Amino acid sequence: MKHDSYVMSELQSIREAFAEASSFLAGHGCNEPQRSSQLLLEHVLGLSGAAYYMALADPFPPAVKAQWETLVTRRAAGEPVQYIIGEQEFYGRAFEVTPDVLIPRPETELLVEAILRYGAELWPDGTVAVRGEAAQEAGGPAGERAAGSEAAGPVRGEAAQEAGGPAGERAAGSEAARPRAVRPLTAVDIGAGSGAISVTLAAEAPAWRVCAGDISPGALAVAGRNAQRLGTSVDLRLGDLLEPFAGMETDILVSNPPYIPGGDIAGLQREVRDHEPRTALDGGGDGLDPYRRMMEQLPLLPAPPRLVGFELGQGQAGQVAELLRAAGHWNEIITIEDLAGIPRHVLGIAR
């Protein structure tokens, strides 16, 4: 298909520029040509929302004509509009995106919603009780008080009987009232990309400790900038799947990994095939390699996460659900459909 340069017609309104560019993009096989034209116009004009619509009747500013022509030409050649303008909205926030990261999709918001919902259900206050040796190592006032009460010694034998009900009840009550050692709930996002999942979780659940890993230094740099600009704290680590989190207490594991079968990539839309990072797309022969490997790497963690959530491709829900069942750690498996009715996410919950 011919990808000639876009040359804007002489003096026209912003509305006419929008219509002309939309027609040009449609003629070059671009998906959603009108949406692309609007996003590019908002970008070059520095307008959005009501201000953009109010300006449609105004003359197109000559000062941005050259930039406008360049951006429309890039889009006509197949470059995703999100890479051209450098951002994509996700969960109501603008995320920086570059060719180092997969462009966040609306369906992934449903995965975030599910993780937030079930996370709040399992851990209402965003903390996890520390038990056994870990509780002793946690130290602090709770640990010291527990040690102090033990040092004081129990009341034994006849003395205990003589102490009677109220004292015994107070002792039992003090045991129940003793502050427990806790730590923040820890959520780990595998395949950080732009940080859409991890940064959103950190923003929506500030009591949580949120971590994210990726094999791409470029992706982690983008995620770090998004975390900073959106005022969140995310522990970002470089490495393959669960390996960077070996030994870390992990309560929630969430991932939107590469899930496209390698042989299918050539048939994808050019915007995806030619521009988005292959490492974020290619899931191996059947697209399920990352899920299998994460299940194999679970022993790297001190214990299996109580909540696991995966995004997946069309037709993969049954196989991914079976991987979770076979692992034997989660007694509730949930499948969530996207807005098109396609099973898109599988969750495992240990009640």
Side-chain angles (χ1 to χ4, degrees):
M1 182 178 288
K2 184 180 178 183
H3 293 137
D4 52 315
S5 297
Y6 170 68
V7 179
M8 184 178 173
S9 301
E10 291 303 316
L11 225 52
Q12 55 183 288
S13 69
I14 292 173
R15 180 180 286 107
E16 290 169 329
F18 164 78
E20 182 181 82
S22 297
S23 177
F24 183 82
L25 294 179
H28 284 75
C30 293
N31 60 316
E32 298 186 320
Q34 292 183 326
R35 179 61 176 160
S36 291
S37 294
Q38 179 176 337
L39 289 172
L40 293 175
L41 261 178
E42 290 177 341
H43 180 70
V44 298
L45 297 174
L47 300 174
S48 63
Y52 165 77
Y53 290 104
M54 291 176 64
L56 286 175
D58 296 345
F60 189 93
V64 297
K65 179 175 181 290
Q67 181 190 13
W68 170 240
E69 292 173 339
T70 298
L71 299 191
V72 173
T73 298
R74 288 171 61 185
R75 180 68 190 99
E79 186 174 353
V81 67
Q82 293 90 344
Y83 290 155
I84 296 173
I85 67 176
E87 70 176 32
Q88 166 70 3
E89 184 175 307
F90 184 85
Y91 221 86
R93 298 177 178 87
F95 280 77
E96 175 191 347
V97 292
T98 76
D100 283 316
V101 302
L102 194 74
I103 297 168
R105 267 63 170 183
E107 55 265 27
T108 307
E109 295 183 350
L110 301 177
L111 176 60
V112 171
E113 285 181 359
I115 292 297
L116 289 169
R117 173 189 167 190
Y118 288 107
E121 183 181 308
L122 294 171
W123 301 278
D125 63 355
T127 63
V128 180
V130 181
R131 305 189 182 200
E133 293 180 4
Q136 295 175 6
E137 291 172 4
E144 290 167 8
R145 278 193 292 272
S149 62
E150 180 68 24
V155 181
R156 302 175 186 269
E158 295 179 2
Q161 295 175 6
E162 290 172 4
E169 290 167 8
R170 281 194 297 273
S174 64
E175 181 70 22
R178 181 182 300 151
R180 60 176 185 165
V182 298
R183 61 172 174 79
L185 180 154
T186 299
V188 172
D189 171 28
I190 301 300
S194 65
I197 292 176
S198 57
V199 171
T200 302
L201 290 177
E204 296 291 326
W208 296 7
R209 177 191 180 193
V210 179
C211 309
D214 206 292
I215 59 172
S216 166
L220 287 180
V222 175
R225 291 195 295 272
N226 280 321
Q228 184 174 21
R229 70 186 275 198
L230 293 171
T232 63
S233 176
V234 178
D235 179 354
L236 297 169
R237 302 189 181 195
L238 180 67
D240 186 28
L241 301 178
L242 273 62
E243 290 178 359
F245 306 101
M248 176 186 289
E249 295 280 358
T250 302
D251 307 296
I252 297 174
L253 177 65
V254 59
S255 183
N256 178 18
Y259 55 68
I260 298 173
D264 293 352
I265 291 179
L268 297 175
Q269 290 181 331
R270 59 179 177 157
E271 286 88 351
V272 178
R273 179 193 64 230
D274 298 339
H275 295 277
E276 298 200 64
R278 187 172 180 118
T279 54
L281 300 172
D282 193 341
D286 61 358
L288 300 176
D289 284 358
Y291 306 99
R292 295 191 188 96
R293 294 186 57 228
M294 281 189 276
M295 292 298 98
E296 292 167 358
Q297 290 180 352
L298 281 177
L300 293 174
L301 306 178
R306 284 188 66 194
L307 175 60
V308 174
F310 292 141
E311 183 162 322
L312 35 95
Q314 187 169 359
Q316 295 175 333
Q319 293 163 289
V320 173
E322 187 53 39
L323 285 174
L324 296 187
R325 289 191 189 95
H329 304 305
W330 304 282
N331 53 14
E332 185 176 350
I333 307 295
I334 298 171
T335 299
I336 298 173
E337 296 181 347
D338 64 17
L339 298 179
I342 297 170
R344 184 63 66 183
H345 308 106
V346 169
L347 275 65
I349 305 172
R351 295 286 186 180

